[in-house]
Amino acid sequence: TNLRELMRTHLNGKVKLRLAGDLHHYTRHMPTDCLDKPTLIVSGGGGAFSHPTHCFRDRIQVGDEKDNYERVCAYPSAKVSRHLSYLNLWQFRWRNWRFDVLWAICYFGISTSFFPLCGVYDDYLEYNPDHRPLNLVTFVASRVATLLSQLFISGRLSLVFSFVVIILTYLFTDWSNVKTSTHLCWSLLHALTHICTALTCLLFVECMAEFVVSEGLVAVPRTNVD
């Protein structure tokens, strides 16, 4: 606020350049209407991770007077930035595959006390015979809530892995600029998200297994009862 006041009064018309480095890329915007306005430069490529440039508009309005600016340079370019963002969809997983293995083990451990969930697909068809999306969401939410309560009652091995997930999220959550209570709350919320996701994956796998059997997509041995 003080800087804006200075630029509006004592430094009005004297500032030629406004330089920032909070975003990790390079962009330069030039004024289009009034050339005595300062040039806007973001230069934050100091070795950290890179922020995208394609997410920002080429033409912007700045200040109380809505001065028009146009971006004349960007690094990486918008085209390269968009391409790099698409690559993140698989390169991030490829480079961090060990982390995926760790979470896969934790997810399996959380789900292992509930195998098998016999009849869950029939329960879904009875609950949502018309396959309405909203009913699907409510069915999954209610089943996950039921499994979550059973986890603390009878899921011994699943409970152990749940505590492991809580510890991992607590250790991996950045706590440098937050209070201990805030750190703990975010860690528990993060852990609960992973636990619920693991239980949702369990429901999906069980439903798909029962679906392919009921639809005859796989051959299963049948026992004749006289």
Side-chain angles (χ1 to χ4, degrees), residues 154-169:
S154 58
R156 297 178 181 177
L157 186 59
S158 296
L159 186 60
V160 171
F161 274 94
S162 297
F163 279 116
V164 171
V165 170
I166 293 175
I167 294 173
L168 289 175
T169 53

Side-chain angles (χ1 to χ4, degrees), residues 57-189:
R57 293 174 295 178
D58 290 334
R59 298 180 180 273
I60 60 175
Q61 291 182 331
V62 179
D64 298 333
E65 299 178 0
K66 303 297 182 180
D67 298 319
N68 293 312
Y69 280 81
E70 182 178 4
R71 182 167 62 180
V72 296
C73 182
Y75 180 83
S77 64
K79 181 179 180 180
V80 173
S81 176
R82 187 176 293 105
H83 178 67
L84 292 175
S85 298
Y86 288 139
L87 290 180
N88 282 336
L89 295 175
W90 66 273
Q91 279 193 346
F92 181 84
R93 299 266 62 87
W94 176 256
R95 295 179 180 179
N96 297 274
W97 63 270
R98 298 175 182 84
F99 207 63
D100 289 343
V101 171
L102 174 63
W103 283 118
I105 295 173
C106 291
Y107 275 34
F108 179 80
I110 293 172
S111 306
T112 189
S113 297
F114 303 106
F115 286 116
L117 295 175
C118 298
V120 64
Y121 181 64
D122 293 334
D123 293 340
Y124 168 71
L125 292 179
E126 182 179 355
Y127 182 85
N128 188 20
D130 298 328
H131 301 288
R132 296 179 179 178
L134 182 59
N135 290 344
L136 171 62
V137 173
T138 56
F139 175 80
V140 172
S142 62
R143 280 307 180 100
V144 169
T146 301
L147 292 174
L148 194 61
S149 62
Q150 293 177 357
L151 185 147
F152 293 97
I153 298 174
S154 58
R156 297 178 181 177
L157 186 59
S158 296
L159 186 60
V160 171
F161 274 94
S162 297
F163 279 116
V164 171
V165 170
I166 293 175
I167 294 173
L168 289 175
T169 53
Y170 183 82
L171 294 177
F172 286 130
T173 302
D174 184 16
W175 54 272
S176 57
N177 297 319
V178 296
K179 298 179 180 179
T180 303
S181 58
T182 305
H183 178 206
L184 180 61
C185 290
W186 277 113
S187 301
L188 290 176
L189 182 62

